[in-house]
Amino acid sequence: APPFRCSCPSPPARLQLARARFADATDEQIYTLVGGFVFLRYINPVVVAPESLKLISTAPSRQMRRACLLLAKMLQARSNTAA
């Protein structure tokens, strides 16, 4: 079991909520919206601070953290653009 508890809706429920909120949006726009949210709230925080979920035993060096931050920025930018 993950070390955290999420009270957010499941991914399929997020898609339904996004479709209801943005009724005029295309499927591609909805997937981009939900994908960006998932990366922003779940994936990128772990990339930037892997020690927060005990994926590594010690905090990364300043140089490694900078590299992780740049990677997270790149992933976020990619997730926010349509294919």
Side-chain angles (χ1 to χ4, degrees), residues 22-51:
F22 303 103
D24 295 337
T26 65
D27 280 349
E28 185 174 349
Q29 291 170 325
I30 295 296
Y31 287 123
T32 300
L33 172 77
V34 173
F37 173 81
V38 169
F39 271 87
L40 181 67
R41 297 293 176 208
Y42 298 110
I43 297 172
N44 286 344
V46 175
V47 170
V48 172
E51 74 280 5

Side-chain angles (χ1 to χ4, degrees), residues 31-33 35-37 39-40 74-82:
Y31 287 123
T32 300
L33 172 77
F37 173 81
F39 271 87
L40 181 67
M74 184 214 45
L75 290 171
Q76 188 64 48
R78 184 65 187 118
S79 72
N80 287 337
T81 58

Side-chain angles (χ1 to χ4, degrees), residues 47-51 56-66 68:
V47 170
V48 172
E51 74 280 5
I56 57 175
S57 57
T58 60
S61 68
R62 183 179 168 101
Q63 187 176 9
M64 284 182 70
R65 184 154 329 260
R66 172 95 174 123
C68 290

